[in-house]
Amino acid sequence: MIRSFRPFRRSLAAVAMRAGCWSAGGRFVALARWPDDPLAVGQQRLAELLQHARDNVPFYADRIPAVDRRQSADPASVLEQIPVTTKDDVEAHFPDQITDGSDPADWRLMSTRGTAQRLITIHGFAKRDAVRAANLRMLCDSGRYRPGLPSVEIPPEVCETVCGDLGETQTGVVSHVMGMLRQRQWRDTQPFRDLRGLIETHWVFHRQTYPGFGLHGSHPDPDTLNQYVARLRTDRPYLVKALATYLTTLARHLQRNDLPPLNIPVIKTMGSRVTPGQRSLIESSFGGKYWDDYGSAEFGTIANECVEHAGLHVYSDWFHVEVVDDAGNPVPDGKVGHVLITDLVNHTMPLIRYKIGDLGRIDRSPCPCGNKTPRLTVHGRAQDIVTLSQGRIQTTDDVLDFLEALPGVDSAQLVDCGDHSYQVSVVPAPNRPLSLDETKQAIVNWLSNPQDSSPPAVDVQTVATIRPESGGKFRYVK
């Protein structure tokens, strides 16, 4: 019996070795470490990216100027000469004109959850490893998280699998390898890619994925929320990462029912922002520290907070980040503008000076933490700002913090209908009086300017919950 098992055991070990089971975890950890000089690494990668894109990607052949020896020492100056790349550009040239002609068998198609415009991008093998490494760096920079500590994610939509190309199942690493052996898949590419995802999920991140709120919208019933709370208390994760709406709804449920904190040391959001007003609520209810980060499906994690919590340090060894005006020209540090991202790792489908759709500002002053990379502050989606009279603007953070501070309001959504007309949907706070007339007048006063000839038109209605967009995210300003 023992002898008959030995060949199977050797085959199991062979499959595990080929997939990198013994070293994949260590590889992710090594890639995640900050280099000694991330800015210098980033400059070198930028020069290589520009040359590769100009030579191999048709879309960029005429957009990237030829670089002489003098300019090659300062690739950032060359970058500023390249036109901004928009999502419409990517869609119009996808895939043949904006990829580098590499083998499609190595491609992984990534779909964004854009609230207004979804996009398909392509990651090669090196980019996929960089995404995993950036995710691990982001977690390790947050509250002393270390590989192997338990974590929980509550994403806007639960994929059928999170491992490999499709996403996550609860299949273990060893079980997956044994299944490959039973089905004689040890020479197939796809099972090995899935195995790498499982190693990441179970061995590196020790991650569980909970279902999202789904049809409940922003405000599930108390019994449903109690199930989330009970499961979190049972699983006792070191880190929880979820939509901001999920975090704030759970935090309010704990607070209003006088339930003890969850004692989760690290709290993070995904696919959405936590406003300054929501941050303290989440920290007190979850019993931990909130750490902000910035990323997207196109790129993975781009920047993360340090212990100073005074901006997001850009991963300058993997990304070049700019802030520009409406014409694509750089704005002074500290001034709000459109965020442009250049991915320094993805040579398969280069995104250069890509207008991601967010507003932000850059701070290059020294940070007390010692990290010399620029710090990015994100102010929300450009399409989700409210433009008032006299050119005044209010970001989603401004609007949501104001509305949620009104008496009797648990949450709210504002829709800009144009011509200074607004529709506001309010979710009433349980057991707290709500006056629609007083709420309406407060909103009118807040949106008004003394120089306006007439006050804005505001219609306020109550709703039981706020529904997410088709991609699962919530928009509180539209």
Side-chain angles (χ1 to χ4, degrees), residues 35-169:
D36 293 336
D37 191 344
L39 294 170
V41 172
Q43 287 294 290
Q44 177 63 34
R45 287 177 172 168
L46 177 58
E48 294 170 355
L49 171 73
L50 295 180
Q51 189 64 53
H52 175 83
R54 188 175 189 276
D55 293 344
N56 298 282
V57 182
F59 175 71
Y60 292 110
D62 296 326
R63 294 168 73 92
I64 300 177
V67 179
D68 58 32
R69 182 173 299 179
R70 178 182 57 82
Q71 291 175 311
S72 64
D74 185 17
S77 65
V78 178
L79 184 69
E80 292 180 359
Q81 303 175 42
I82 301 172
V84 171
T85 300
T86 67
K87 295 184 178 182
D88 288 339
D89 290 331
V90 175
E91 286 187 334
H93 295 86
F94 183 88
D96 294 341
Q97 296 297 305
I98 203 165
T99 52
D100 67 351
S102 56
D103 184 0
D106 186 44
W107 291 2
R108 177 177 179 180
L109 301 182
M110 303 295 297
S111 174
T112 70
R113 288 193 178 95
T115 51
Q117 184 177 12
R118 288 199 174 195
L119 194 71
I120 300 294
T121 58
I122 296 172
H123 289 180
F125 193 79
K127 176 58 181 176
R128 295 200 293 275
D129 270 1
V131 168
R132 291 180 171 124
N135 191 34
L136 181 57
R137 178 188 291 179
M138 173 265 294
L139 294 177
C140 290
D141 283 354
S142 303
R144 298 182 179 180
Y145 177 87
R146 291 296 176 265
L149 290 174
S151 64
V152 164
E153 286 190 357
I154 315 178
E157 294 174 299
V158 177
C159 302
E160 295 178 8
T161 71
V162 176
C163 62
D165 286 359
L166 293 178
E168 177 169 17
T169 67

Side-chain angles (χ1 to χ4, degrees), residues 31 57 107 122 321 383 413 477:
L31 284 173
V57 182
W107 291 2
I122 296 172
V321 176
Q383 67 185 26
Q413 181 185 66
V477 176

Side-chain angles (χ1 to χ4, degrees), residues 178-347:
M178 294 178 68
M180 290 170 63
L181 290 171
R182 285 194 300 268
Q183 299 175 41
R184 300 180 179 275
Q185 295 178 321
W186 54 84
R187 296 184 183 276
D188 297 342
T189 300
Q190 187 60 46
F192 281 101
R193 290 181 176 173
D194 292 343
L195 183 55
R196 289 177 65 86
L198 285 171
I199 292 169
E200 173 195 3
T201 297
H202 294 288
W203 290 4
V204 178
F205 296 129
H206 194 183
R207 180 177 62 214
Q208 293 191 68
T209 302
Y210 292 2
F213 287 179
L215 297 178
H216 296 289
S218 62
H219 286 69
D221 59 82
D223 288 342
T224 300
L225 294 175
N226 283 332
Q227 292 175 23
Y228 280 94
V229 171
R231 186 171 178 185
L232 286 168
R233 292 197 194 280
T234 298
D235 292 337
R236 301 176 62 187
Y238 185 85
L239 177 147
V240 63
K241 189 171 187 180
L243 278 180
T245 296
Y246 297 169
L247 294 175
T248 53
T249 299
L250 287 167
R252 291 194 183 102
H253 176 74
L254 289 161
Q255 183 185 68
R256 70 170 54 104
N257 290 284
D258 295 322
L259 298 174
L262 293 172
N263 295 323
I264 300 175
V266 178
I267 311 121
K268 298 185 72 67
T269 188
M270 62 191 310
S272 55
R273 290 173 46 76
V274 166
T275 72
Q278 295 168 341
R279 191 165 185 153
S280 60
L281 166 69
I282 289 170
E283 290 182 339
S284 63
S285 294
F286 280 81
K289 188 70 176 176
Y290 175 78
W291 295 75
D292 201 5
D293 64 80
Y294 179 60
S296 71
E298 298 101 312
F299 300 110
T301 306
I302 298 168
N304 190 69
E305 274 188 324
C306 67
V307 295
E308 300 296 327
H309 299 279
L312 310 175
H313 282 284
V314 175
Y315 294 168
S316 297
D317 50 330
W318 288 324
F319 301 99
H320 187 93
V321 176
E322 304 170 78
V323 177
V324 301
D325 59 21
D326 292 341
N329 301 311
V331 301
D333 288 1
K335 184 175 181 179
V336 176
H338 298 278
V339 177
L340 304 184
I341 309 292
T342 296
D343 190 331
L344 306 178
V345 180
N346 190 357
H347 285 206

